Amino acid sequence: MSKTLQHIDYTEETELLARFSKALGHPTRLIILKYLSNQSCCYTGDLVGVLPLAQSTISQHLKELKEAGLIDGEVNPPKVRYCINQANWEKARALFSTLFKEDFKNFSCC
Amino acid sequence: MSKTLQHIDYTEETELLARFSKALGHPTRLIILKYLSNQSCCYTGDLVGVLPLAQSTISQHLKELKEAGLIDGEVNPPKVRYCINQANWEKARALFSTLFKEDFKNFSCC
DNA sequence: ATAGTTAATCGCAAATATACGATAAATAAT
DNA sequence: ATTATTTATCGTATATTTGCGATTAACTAT
């Protein structure tokens, strides 16, 4: 890695959309989000009961979703209640919507 | 990895959405897709001229987009013309649309 | 104070992703 | 036949992701 990509300056929007996409890019995380949207919110332990994965693994997926901004964790000791971050979820929806809207304006060749 | 996640059986839809998301999870690939949607189609060389990345790196990103089903490569020697795979793109649009539609049905807690 | 509960974090291993330069393949042009 | 053009693939290095069990941290309840 000599030219190294990390320093290309993408637009904010592109970076953000990539970040959201990456977070959505694992089936377990999609399931967590679906679970969250059905239940309003949930505790880590709820997910441990549902998914055939170690508690530490689930905790890690939650961390990634949180770092991507898609969920929030409210400490409620000794539990932590996770909810979808509505503002960012809306932002994600808007970004994906734009991505899928902008194309095929002038498709002619194939 | 003893319990190993690979064998959890997610639904087809979940797997597919994760696959699409993962492919979209890198800024360079988003730029390629945007470029593609503006230009209808393009050759690998066009992208090499636009992105500050090695030809082999770009080729690899194209391969991933192709493997995810988002684009097609039509060999037109010695060039290869890449276009968005409209059917799968539409499928992706539908899956993301569903993902962002289904939630907040019953948000009450936070 | 002690024990119990819950969830994050640490340390580790294996797999995957990202980037590069160099090489190979496939065809067109000379 | 040789050369040029274009793109894929190979080999390699490094970074990140994914998973686990064990431990730690933070608070409750006894």
Side-chain angles (χ1 to χ4, degrees), chain A residues 48-61:
Chain A
V48 174
V50 167
L51 296 164
L53 291 168
Q55 178 264 322
S56 59
T57 302
I58 292 169
S59 199
Q60 209 172 335
H61 281 301

Side-chain angles (χ1 to χ4, degrees), chain A residues 41-80:
Chain A
C41 295
C42 73
Y43 298 107
T44 307
D46 298 340
L47 293 164
V48 174
V50 167
L51 296 164
L53 291 168
Q55 178 264 322
S56 59
T57 302
I58 292 169
S59 199
Q60 209 172 335
H61 281 301
L62 287 167
K63 187 183 176 188
E64 272 167 70
L65 287 171
K66 198 167 64 180
E67 281 174 357
L70 292 174
I71 65 175
D72 288 317
E74 181 201 339
V75 180
N76 198 358
K79 297 184 166 191
V80 177

Side-chain angles (χ1 to χ4, degrees), chain A residues 1 3 7 15 20 22 29 53 88 93 99 106:
Chain A
M1 296 195 206
K3 280 187 196 168
H7 315 101
E15 295 268 19
F20 287 146
K22 200 173 178 186
R29 290 195 288 270
L53 291 168
N88 285 332
R93 184 213 305 277
L99 177 69
N106 43 11

Side-chain angles (χ1 to χ4, degrees), chain B residues 1 3 5 43-45 55-56 59 79 82:
Chain B
M1 296 201 205
K3 280 187 197 169
L5 174 61
Y43 298 107
T44 308
Q55 178 265 322
S56 58
S59 198
K79 296 185 168 192
Y82 284 101

Side-chain angles (χ1 to χ4, degrees), chain B residues 1-58:
Chain B
M1 296 201 205
S2 22
K3 280 187 197 169
T4 317
L5 174 61
Q6 334 291 48
H7 315 101
I8 295 181
D9 54 275
Y10 301 103
T11 65
E12 277 292 323
E13 302 243 308
T14 299
E15 294 268 19
L16 193 55
L17 184 52
R19 191 149 63 88
F20 287 146
S21 297
K22 199 172 178 185
L24 296 175
H26 194 291
T28 294
R29 291 195 288 270
L30 288 176
I31 285 178
I32 290 174
L33 288 169
K34 282 176 188 177
Y35 190 86
L36 234 45
S37 69
N38 281 336
Q39 310 293 318
S40 303
C41 295
C42 74
Y43 298 107
T44 308
D46 299 339
L47 294 164
V48 174
V50 167
L51 296 164
L53 291 168
Q55 178 265 322
S56 58
T57 302
I58 291 169

